[in-house]
């Protein structure tokens, strides 16, 4: 009997031990990879690992062949890795490998070549939970070259167009499931098409597909394109469905002054951010001169941004309701450039049911794009940079009087009706008394 009791006692202890080990193992493996998203872009690929809890990770690279190895501690993988990267030009495949312990997961990214790497966690936000982000950047960042010359060597005015959000960042989401990132890209493409049809203007799309571009990269790309203006397109949202209407935002004075202080402190490194005076600002030993030149540039950019924002509002109110009747100053990273006038256009509230329908409508998207284009054309007709085609064209102004038609005005100034309509963005030959027309140089 004693032996039987001891045997049962030991057996019980053994099963308790197994249960304890099992519970410890389970506790160690309580995190999981629930999803993996791959976002290819022209200059980089972003991978986003969706996890149940905060990631505990480490990583290292291997060569010949190029690989990135990521160890997720106390984590199990629930994702089918097959074909995840089949549409990406930087990643050959994603596979598992033997981890340091059974409770962890080791993932191996087999790469086509060596890339600049950025790995960082993200806390839960919006519809997303815990994430680990991996960015693979091409090592040779090719500077974008754009043919921006016209006849007589007059360059085009370049408009950088930023479609807000993209990739794993959907932006705001409407009640019917409309993603802001899709709406902004559609409007941006329509705007670019209008700009590229206009002689003397050239678009530079910062995002051309469904991928994310960080704010610093947006302004860097605009600068590479030698942009004269940056337009960032968004759709607003609120917790209530009541707010509606479009608005135009510019950089706040406080944010601009903060950026200005940083630029001056790093003027040797960042003089390219200060436009034509940048070289002087960089080389001069006179700090007061550097500050004066830089401040003049900053003030000019801010004034130009506000001026253009007013042009946008005057055009938007013709095609949609306004949420704000004047440009509003906010601290926004995408507007921080001191050498490129920049505005952010909220095209409407995606959280408003009616405006969500409108923002999904191709016809309404076209109206918004046309209104923004009109503001670009009107602004640069009176503020054309030196050396541009727009600057070489003399736009006289003519106020239509009683009895005058478009053909009469065209004949008076020796220009074609077609050119007169194009310059003034007219869809018909109808003009009204008191209407002011821009008159281009005679053919």
């Amino acid at each position: 009997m004693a032996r039987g009791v001891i045997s049962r006692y030991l057996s019980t202890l053994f099963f308790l031990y197994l249960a304890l080990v099992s519970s410890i193992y389970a506790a160690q493996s309580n995190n999981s990879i629930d999803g993996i998203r791959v976002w290819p872009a022209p200059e980089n690929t972003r991978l986003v690992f969706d996890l149940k809890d905060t990631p505990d990770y480490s990583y290292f690279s291997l060569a010949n062949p190029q690989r990135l190895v990521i160890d997720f501690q106390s984590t199990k993988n629930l994702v089918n890795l097959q074909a995840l990267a089949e549409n990406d030009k930087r990643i050959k495949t994603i596979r598992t490998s033997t981890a340091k312990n059974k409770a962890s997961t080791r993932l191996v990214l087999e790469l086509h070549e060596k890339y600049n790497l950025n790995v960082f966690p993200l806390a839960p936000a919006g519809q997303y939970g815990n994430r680990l982000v991996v960015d693979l950047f091409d090592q040779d960042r090719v500077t974008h070259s754009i043919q921006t010359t016209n006849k007589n060597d007059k360059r085009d005015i370049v408009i950088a167009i930023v479609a807000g959000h993209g990739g794993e960042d959907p932006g705001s989401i409407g009640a019917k499931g409309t993603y802001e990132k899709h709406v902004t890209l559609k409007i941006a493409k329509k705007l670019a098409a209008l700009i590229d049809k206009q002689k003397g203007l050239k678009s530079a799309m910062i995002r051309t597909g469904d991928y994310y571009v960080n704010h610093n990269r947006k302004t860097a790309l605009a600068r590479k394109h030698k942009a004269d203006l940056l337009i960032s397109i968004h759709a607003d949202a609120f917790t209530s469905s009541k707010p509606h209407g479009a608005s135009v935002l510019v950089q706040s004075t406080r944010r601009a002054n903060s950026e200005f202080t940083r630029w001056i402190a790093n003027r040797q490194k960042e003089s390219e951010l200060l436009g034509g005076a940048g070289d002087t600002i960089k080389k001069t030993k006179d700090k007061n001169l550097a500050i004066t030149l830089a401040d003049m540039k900053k003030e000019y950019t801010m004034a130009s941004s506000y001026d253009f924002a007013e042009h946008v509002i005057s055009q938007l109110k013709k095609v949609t309701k306004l949420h704000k009747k004047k440009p509003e100053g906010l601290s926004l990273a995408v507007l921080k450039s001191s050498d490129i006038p920049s505005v952010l256009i909220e095209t409407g509230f995606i959280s408003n049911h009616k405006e969500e329908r409108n923002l999904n409508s191709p016809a309404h998207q076209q109206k918004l794009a046309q209104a923004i284009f009109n503001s670009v054309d009107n602004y640069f007709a009176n503020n054309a940079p030196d050396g541009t085609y727009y600057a070489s064209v003399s736009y006289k102004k003519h106020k239509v009087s009683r009895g005058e038609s478009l053909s009469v005005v065209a004949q008076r100034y020796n220009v074609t009706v077609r050119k007169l309509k194009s310059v003034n963005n007219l869809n018909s030959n109808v003009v009204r008394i008191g209407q002011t027309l821009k008159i281009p140089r005679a053919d």
Side-chain angles (χ1 to χ4, degrees):
M1 287 293 293
R3 282 186 180 180
V5 171
I6 293 172
S7 177
R8 286 195 298 273
Y9 176 72
L10 291 175
S11 178
T12 302
L13 284 178
F14 177 73
F15 283 113
L16 286 173
Y17 170 76
L18 288 179
L20 179 62
V21 170
S22 178
S23 64
I24 292 173
Y25 178 82
Q28 289 177 337
S29 303
N30 61 356
N31 205 354
S32 60
I33 301 172
D34 299 329
I36 302 176
R37 292 169 285 136
V38 181
W39 301 97
E43 293 184 317
N44 69 286
T45 293
R46 170 166 284 193
L47 284 85
V48 182
F49 297 90
D50 295 303
L51 294 106
K52 179 183 175 183
D53 294 311
T54 303
D56 181 3
Y57 67 96
S58 60
Y59 64 92
F60 58 91
S61 296
L62 296 172
N64 301 318
Q66 291 292 336
R67 286 153 291 165
L68 172 63
V69 181
I70 309 174
D71 285 321
F72 292 88
Q73 309 301 328
S74 304
T75 304
K76 56 186 176 181
N77 175 44
L78 304 179
V79 180
N80 183 355
L81 303 177
Q82 188 176 3
L84 265 179
E86 63 180 1
N87 296 320
D88 186 72
K89 65 181 182 180
R90 297 174 184 88
I91 305 171
K92 292 180 180 179
T93 188
I94 304 174
R95 61 176 173 84
T96 58
S97 184
T98 304
K100 292 181 179 180
N101 59 69
K102 293 182 179 180
S104 299
T105 293
R106 170 170 286 187
L107 294 183
V108 179
L109 280 61
E110 296 186 3
L111 307 175
H112 283 283
E113 57 186 81
K114 187 176 181 180
Y115 301 101
N116 293 328
L117 187 64
N118 191 19
V119 182
F120 57 95
L122 285 176
Q127 65 174 338
Y128 295 118
N130 289 283
R131 290 153 289 167
L132 181 70
V133 178
V134 176
D135 283 329
L136 303 171
F137 291 99
D138 295 341
Q139 288 200 324
D140 284 325
R141 300 275 187 100
V142 180
T143 301
H144 296 74
S145 60
I146 306 175
Q147 179 62 275
T148 59
T149 57
N150 270 292
K151 293 180 180 178
N152 302 320
D153 294 322
K154 299 298 182 183
R155 75 171 181 86
D156 291 334
I157 294 171
V158 180
I159 313 299
I161 305 172
V162 179
H165 306 283
E168 80 280 6
D169 175 15
S172 300
I173 303 174
K176 294 187 178 297
T178 304
Y179 280 22
E180 181 183 0
K181 66 174 183 177
H182 296 320
V183 169
T184 60
L185 185 59
K186 289 175 181 177
I187 297 172
K189 286 182 175 180
K190 287 176 169 60
L191 174 59
L194 291 170
I195 286 173
D196 290 336
K197 285 181 182 178
Q198 178 72 14
K199 185 176 181 180
L201 296 180
K202 180 75 176 180
S203 71
M205 288 282 289
I206 301 303
R207 175 169 76 88
T208 58
D210 189 11
Y211 53 86
Y212 180 76
V213 181
N214 70 50
H215 294 313
N216 289 335
R217 193 68 188 142
K218 290 170 185 175
T219 52
L221 286 172
R223 192 167 292 110
K224 283 189 174 183
H225 281 284
K226 301 186 185 302
D228 298 280
L229 175 70
L230 184 148
I231 299 173
S232 186
I233 298 175
H234 285 255
D236 218 335
F238 194 66
T239 52
S240 164
S241 63
K242 291 182 180 180
H244 64 280
S247 53
V248 185
L249 311 178
V250 295
Q251 190 65 283
S252 70
T253 302
R254 182 178 179 181
R255 176 64 179 265
N257 289 337
S258 175
E259 290 294 330
F260 174 72
T261 302
R262 184 180 63 81
W263 290 323
I264 287 299
N266 297 278
R267 63 190 174 99
Q268 296 292 328
K269 179 181 178 182
E270 303 193 62
S271 62
E272 73 277 4
L273 306 184
L274 298 160
D279 198 49
T280 302
I281 294 169
K282 178 179 179 179
K283 292 180 179 179
T284 182
K285 295 180 181 180
D286 187 339
K287 186 176 181 180
N288 290 330
L289 175 60
I291 292 174
T292 300
L293 291 173
D295 189 56
M296 288 171 62
K297 183 63 179 178
K298 179 202 70 174
E299 292 299 325
Y300 172 79
T301 300
M302 290 186 66
S304 299
S305 299
Y306 194 91
D307 188 8
F308 175 69
E310 289 188 313
H311 278 74
V312 178
I313 287 175
S314 70
Q315 294 295 325
L316 282 177
K317 69 181 180 183
K318 299 176 183 179
V319 299
T320 191
K321 299 287 186 181
L322 292 179
H323 182 64
K324 300 284 187 179
K325 295 183 179 180
K326 292 184 178 180
E328 184 179 9
L330 287 179
S331 179
L332 300 167
V334 73
L335 305 179
K336 70 179 184 179
S337 174
S338 73
D339 59 323
I340 307 174
S342 306
V343 301
L344 187 149
I345 301 172
E346 299 282 10
T347 53
F349 276 81
I350 206 167
S351 53
N352 179 280
H353 303 316
K354 181 179 179 181
E355 291 197 342
E356 182 182 6
R357 289 196 302 272
N358 286 342
L359 290 170
N360 270 313
S361 164
H364 187 71
Q365 292 167 3
Q366 190 65 42
K367 287 181 181 179
L368 292 169
Q370 185 69 54
I372 299 170
F373 167 79
N374 291 346
S375 64
V376 171
D377 184 50
N378 292 340
Y379 174 77
F380 283 111
N382 297 303
N383 300 277
D386 292 339
T388 62
Y389 172 77
Y390 264 52
S392 71
V393 179
S394 299
Y395 285 109
K396 299 177 182 178
K397 298 291 180 68
H398 177 86
K399 183 175 285 190
V400 178
S401 302
R402 186 179 299 277
E404 286 186 325
S405 64
L406 200 62
S407 59
V408 168
V409 176
Q411 186 175 14
R412 174 178 174 180
Y413 291 100
N414 195 27
V415 297
T416 64
V417 171
R418 182 178 179 181
K419 189 169 184 178
L420 202 56
K421 288 173 66 177
S422 175
V423 167
N424 290 278
N425 299 305
L426 299 177
N427 296 319
S428 71
N429 292 345
V430 178
V431 291
R432 66 181 185 277
I433 297 172
Q435 182 177 355
T436 300
L437 298 174
K438 292 184 292 186
I439 309 298
R441 182 175 294 174
D443 295 320

